[in-house]
Amino acid sequence: MRYLVISDIHANLEALDAVLAQPDAQRSDRTLVLGDLVGYGPDPNAVVSRVRAMGDSVVIRGNHDKVACGVEPAERFNHYARLAVEWTARTLTRDALTYLAALPAGPQSVDDFVEICHGTPFDEDVYVFDDIDALRALRAASRGLCLFGHTHVATAFRDAGSRVSVSGRPGQTQEITVEKHDRWIVNCGAVGQPRDGDWRAAFGIVDTDTRRVSMRRVEYDVAATQAKIVAAGLPEVLAQRLSVGR
Ligand code: ZN
């Protein structure tokens, strides 16, 4: 089985379509969507439609999805995130809001090798940035490969017994193999708003036969997304950050 892994699309249709057009994405058997379909970006309805049209997929919610559809208040959001989520809530169709409200929380088991979560397996809203965070998350994971999102930083951590080892620098890890009895927690990065210094859309391909995870990047028409953000009246900083990946 080959899984396409996408997370943190954030209503960025150009980035999502660039990922879906990749040959390896089109050859995948299932798509795993790790939450934050909306928030920040200018195309929430179109992104929800794309995700709903995917064939065999497992989709979980992210914190922005919860706030946009009213499952949770925006009290923990910063100024720009709050402005954007209020715009998103006004812009989403009733049908899309209903869909987002019904999305399950992570973690969700995909098979006996892979599970997915938005933040961590023990709390969907907690961030994994460093090896201390990763150790807690790995202890709570129920599969050899736990895929997560939420930080918008492509990175991978391996449980090495008493401590955790990080594979490469954030944004630099490209291929890992999950050996039998190994445990990894892997973030393939954000599709629609990367924050690891690489502006390109991030996604992952998991091959369950070879137990390999491939972390990929693809260029997209960032200027088009930026123009839509400005035209929608969303904060301009949300457009500017896309071209620097921060
Ligand atoms: Zn996010």
Side-chain angles (χ1 to χ4, degrees), residues 153-166:
V153 174
T155 188
F157 301 92
R158 175 175 162 263
D159 191 344
S162 59
R163 57 183 296 276
V164 165
S165 61
V166 184

Side-chain angles (χ1 to χ4, degrees), residues 8 10 35-36 40 63-64 118 150 152 195:
D8 298 281
H10 283 295
D36 278 0
Y40 297 129
N63 51 320
H64 286 258
H118 186 63
H150 198 30
H152 301 203
R195 295 179 194 159

Side-chain angles (χ1 to χ4, degrees), residues 177-239:
T177 301
V178 180
E179 303 291 349
K180 282 254 182 337
H181 311 300
D182 256 8
R183 295 172 82 81
W184 285 82
I185 180 163
V186 177
N187 188 333
C188 293
V191 172
Q193 196 201 74
R195 295 179 194 159
D196 49 20
D198 184 341
W199 66 273
R200 297 173 300 168
F203 66 103
I205 301 288
V206 173
D207 186 318
T208 60
D209 299 324
T210 60
R211 298 171 71 90
R212 283 187 79 73
V213 183
S214 177
M215 298 154 79
R216 309 281 181 84
R217 304 303 273 241
V218 59
E219 295 188 2
Y220 72 97
D221 189 352
V222 66
T225 310
Q226 289 173 313
K228 287 189 197 174
I229 288 173
V230 174
L234 284 159
E236 280 197 37
V237 65
L238 298 178

Side-chain angles (χ1 to χ4, degrees), residues 4 7 17-18 21 27 35 43 51 77 90 98 104 108 126 140 152 172 181 200:
L4 168 64
S7 187
D17 280 347
R27 276 196 295 270
D43 281 309
V51 171
F77 276 27
R90 290 196 302 274
T98 304
Q108 295 281 325
V126 168
H152 301 203
Q172 302 296 307
H181 311 300
R200 297 173 300 168

Side-chain angles (χ1 to χ4, degrees), residues 5-184:
V5 183
I6 53 181
S7 187
D8 298 281
I9 306 164
H10 283 295
N12 186 333
L13 186 64
E14 288 72 27
L16 177 60
D17 280 347
V19 168
L20 297 179
Q22 290 297 293
D24 275 345
Q26 297 192 338
R27 276 196 295 270
S28 62
D29 304 299
R30 296 184 91 178
T31 305
L32 313 181
V33 184
L34 279 52
D36 278 0
L37 283 65
V38 303
Y40 297 129
D43 281 309
N45 287 307
V47 164
V48 167
S49 295
R50 286 283 196 287
V51 171
R52 293 179 79 170
M54 287 169 180
D56 194 358
S57 61
V58 184
V59 187
I60 57 172
R61 68 189 189 184
N63 51 320
H64 286 258
D65 304 320
K66 283 192 289 184
V67 174
C69 68
V71 166
E72 214 172 78
E75 58 194 15
R76 287 197 280 179
F77 276 27
N78 68 37
H79 177 66
Y80 296 117
R82 184 186 296 239
L83 286 175
V85 84
E86 286 167 358
W87 179 90
T88 302
R90 290 196 302 274
T91 304
L92 282 165
T93 64
R94 184 168 297 276
D95 195 36
L97 286 165
T98 304
Y99 171 79
L100 292 175
L103 285 178
Q108 295 281 325
S109 296
V110 177
D111 56 28
D112 58 7
F113 172 47
V114 180
E115 74 177 332
I116 61 173
C117 60
H118 186 63
T120 72
F122 61 86
D123 186 326
E124 61 183 340
D125 295 329
V126 168
Y127 292 89
V128 173
F129 281 114
D130 59 25
D131 49 352
I132 308 289
D133 303 332
L135 188 60
R136 290 175 72 201
L138 280 160
R139 293 293 185 262
S142 66
R143 296 292 187 272
L145 177 60
C146 177
L147 300 165
F148 72 105
H150 198 30
T151 62
H152 301 203
V153 174
T155 188
F157 301 92
R158 175 175 162 263
D159 191 344
S162 59
R163 57 183 296 276
V164 165
S165 61
V166 184
S167 181
R169 285 189 295 124
Q172 302 296 307
T173 309
Q174 283 168 351
E175 295 269 342
I176 61 166
T177 301
V178 180
E179 303 291 349
K180 282 254 182 337
H181 311 300
D182 256 8
R183 295 172 82 81
W184 285 82

